[in-house]
Amino acid sequence: HEYLMQLRLSKAEAMLFQGKDNIIDIAFDCGFNTISYFNRCFKEKHGITPKEYRIKMTDYAKNNDKDG
Protein backbone atom coordinates (compact mmCIF):
# COMPACT_ATOMS: atom_id res chain seq x y z
CA HIS A 1 0.00 0.00 0.00
CA GLU A 2 2.81 2.42 0.92
CA TYR A 3 4.68 1.76 -2.33
CA LEU A 4 1.57 2.28 -4.43
CA MET A 5 0.84 5.55 -2.62
CA GLN A 6 4.37 6.78 -3.33
CA LEU A 7 3.95 5.97 -7.03
CA ARG A 8 0.62 7.78 -7.18
CA LEU A 9 1.98 10.85 -5.43
CA SER A 10 5.09 10.92 -7.62
CA LYS A 11 2.94 10.84 -10.74
CA ALA A 12 0.77 13.61 -9.29
CA GLU A 13 3.84 15.74 -8.54
CA ALA A 14 4.99 15.47 -12.14
CA MET A 15 1.54 16.30 -13.49
CA LEU A 16 1.20 19.28 -11.15
CA PHE A 17 4.58 20.57 -12.25
CA GLN A 18 3.59 20.33 -15.92
CA GLY A 19 0.53 22.42 -15.11
CA LYS A 20 -1.62 21.17 -17.99
CA ASP A 21 -4.42 19.32 -16.18
CA ASN A 22 -6.66 20.55 -13.41
CA ILE A 23 -6.10 19.13 -9.94
CA ILE A 24 -9.29 17.06 -9.87
CA ASP A 25 -8.31 15.29 -13.10
CA ILE A 26 -4.82 14.67 -11.74
CA ALA A 27 -6.23 13.12 -8.57
CA PHE A 28 -8.42 10.72 -10.53
CA ASP A 29 -5.73 9.95 -13.13
CA CYS A 30 -3.37 9.00 -10.30
CA GLY A 31 -5.83 6.57 -8.77
CA PHE A 32 -7.41 8.59 -5.97
CA ASN A 33 -11.15 8.09 -5.56
CA THR A 34 -11.85 11.49 -4.00
CA ILE A 35 -10.22 14.88 -4.16
CA SER A 36 -10.27 15.17 -0.37
CA TYR A 37 -8.29 11.93 0.03
CA PHE A 38 -5.80 13.12 -2.59
CA ASN A 39 -5.40 16.47 -0.83
CA ARG A 40 -4.93 14.78 2.55
CA CYS A 41 -2.31 12.31 1.28
CA PHE A 42 -0.47 14.98 -0.68
CA LYS A 43 -0.38 17.35 2.28
CA GLU A 44 0.88 14.58 4.59
CA LYS A 45 3.84 14.06 2.26
CA HIS A 46 4.65 17.65 1.29
CA GLY A 47 3.16 19.80 4.03
CA ILE A 48 1.26 21.83 1.44
CA THR A 49 -1.79 21.25 -0.74
CA PRO A 50 -1.53 20.25 -4.40
CA LYS A 51 -2.60 23.77 -5.38
CA GLU A 52 0.12 25.32 -3.24
CA TYR A 53 2.63 22.85 -4.68
CA ARG A 54 1.69 23.82 -8.23
CA ILE A 55 2.08 27.52 -7.45
CA LYS A 56 5.43 26.92 -5.74
CA MET A 57 6.76 24.82 -8.63
CA THR A 58 5.49 27.29 -11.24
CA ASP A 59 7.26 30.13 -9.45
CA TYR A 60 10.39 27.99 -9.14
CA ALA A 61 10.38 27.21 -12.87
CA LYS A 62 9.86 30.86 -13.80
CA ASN A 63 12.73 31.99 -11.56
CA ASN A 64 15.06 29.34 -12.98
CA ASP A 65 14.18 30.33 -16.55
CA LYS A 66 15.17 33.93 -15.79
CA ASP A 67 18.46 32.86 -14.20
CA GLY A 68 19.37 30.44 -17.00
Side-chain angles (χ1 to χ4, degrees):
H1 182 264
E2 186 81 21
Y3 176 72
L4 182 58
M5 182 61 66
Q6 292 303 317
L7 286 177
R8 289 176 175 171
L9 290 172
S10 293
K11 181 179 178 183
E13 292 163 20
M15 292 176 78
L16 287 165
F17 184 75
Q18 291 171 355
K20 296 176 184 175
D21 299 315
N22 67 49
I23 293 172
I24 294 171
D25 290 338
I26 291 171
F28 292 135
D29 287 347
C30 293
F32 293 91
N33 293 326
T34 65
I35 190 70
S36 61
Y37 183 58
F38 172 61
N39 285 333
R40 186 170 60 246
C41 292
F42 196 93
K43 192 167 184 175
E44 283 178 14
K45 181 177 180 186
H46 293 285
I48 57 177
T49 65
K51 182 178 179 179
E52 293 168 332
Y53 181 88
R54 174 175 270 170
I55 292 167
K56 183 178 177 180
M57 291 297 107
T58 301
D59 290 345
Y60 175 79
K62 284 180 186 176
N63 288 335
N64 280 344
D65 285 346
K66 291 178 185 175
D67 294 338

